[in-house]
């Protein structure tokens, strides 16, 4: 196992439902370290840029609009194998298919408004973290 960093987002649906604190508790109970955090109400351009890899998908416009509905809580998490472990804790994209005990199973409203985001690979994390955080905002390793 290696120490990794990943981008975690508490999406606008979960912030609006006031469950961001419960999600942070899950993160801390899992042993991950929060090395950066901030609230951001994304512009449409910022959401479109972030989800650029999905621009050909039928849900792209709707997803970008959803991500601008209210503020997100953006975080960078650090820990052993944190990229896969955070995604395990999030659960499947569709909350109806997410395992019991996962964040999406408990807090997501739909396949789109699904409470949380996590980078899916070291390569994605290396692009997604600097998309939102400058080096000055990250605690040093
Ligand atoms: P993730 O890695 O589990 O977040 O899933 P993806 O990378 O495949 O999709 C990115 C995000 O797009 C998801 O977290 C959802 O918010 C949204 N999304 C994925 N699939 C669908 C879909 O079939 N319909 C809609 N409306 N949104 C979707």
């Amino acid at each position: 196992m290696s120490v990794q960093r990943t981008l975690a987002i508490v999406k606008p649906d979960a912030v609006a439902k006031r469950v961001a604190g419960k999600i942070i508790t899950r993160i801390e109970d899992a042993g991950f370290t929060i090395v950066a955090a901030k609230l951001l109400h994304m512009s449409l351009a910022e959401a479109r840029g972030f989800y650029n890899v999905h621009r050909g998908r039928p849900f792209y416009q709707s997803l970008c609009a959803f991500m601008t509905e209210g503020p997100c809580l953006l975080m960078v998490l650090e820990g052993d194998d944190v990229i896969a472990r955070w995604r395990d804790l999030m659960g499947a994209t569709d909350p109806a298919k997410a395992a019991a005990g996962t964040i999406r199973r408990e807090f997501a409203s739909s396949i789109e408004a699904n409470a949380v985001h996590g980078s899916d690979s070291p390569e994605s994390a290396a692009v997604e973290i600097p998309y939102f955080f400058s080096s000055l905002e990250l605690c040093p390793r």
Side-chain angles (χ1 to χ4, degrees):
M1 283 204 293
S2 61
V3 176
Q4 298 173 326
R5 289 182 169 186
T6 193
L7 181 75
I9 303 179
V10 180
K11 294 184 179 182
D13 59 314
V15 173
K17 278 194 218 168
R18 301 176 187 268
V19 294
K22 289 180 178 166
I23 293 172
I24 289 172
T25 297
R26 296 286 199 97
I27 287 169
E28 294 185 328
D29 287 349
F32 307 145
T33 302
I34 300 169
V35 296
K38 62 185 172 189
L39 282 174
L40 176 70
H41 191 156
M42 278 186 227
S43 68
L44 191 56
E46 287 165 342
R48 290 172 68 90
F50 180 66
Y51 279 121
N52 190 44
V53 291
H54 291 311
R55 67 187 178 282
R57 311 279 286 275
F59 56 83
Y60 175 66
Q61 302 295 347
S62 174
L63 171 63
C64 293
F66 157 65
M67 291 298 286
T68 68
E69 281 177 4
C72 291
L73 174 60
L74 307 172
M75 288 176 280
V76 179
L77 310 181
E78 184 177 279
D80 283 332
D81 206 19
V82 71
I83 294 172
R85 288 171 62 214
W86 169 235
R87 287 183 65 87
D88 286 348
L89 187 57
M90 287 171 26
T93 308
D94 182 352
K97 296 179 182 155
T102 60
I103 290 171
R104 283 171 165 166
R105 175 70 171 266
E106 187 164 351
F107 300 118
S109 306
S110 68
I111 193 169
E112 181 174 274
N114 60 0
V116 283
H117 167 86
S119 306
D120 65 5
S121 64
E123 294 73 25
S124 297
V127 172
E128 291 179 358
I129 292 170
Y131 187 79
F132 290 117
F133 289 95
S134 74
S135 57
L136 286 175
E137 293 174 296
L138 297 164
C139 293
R141 285 184 189 269

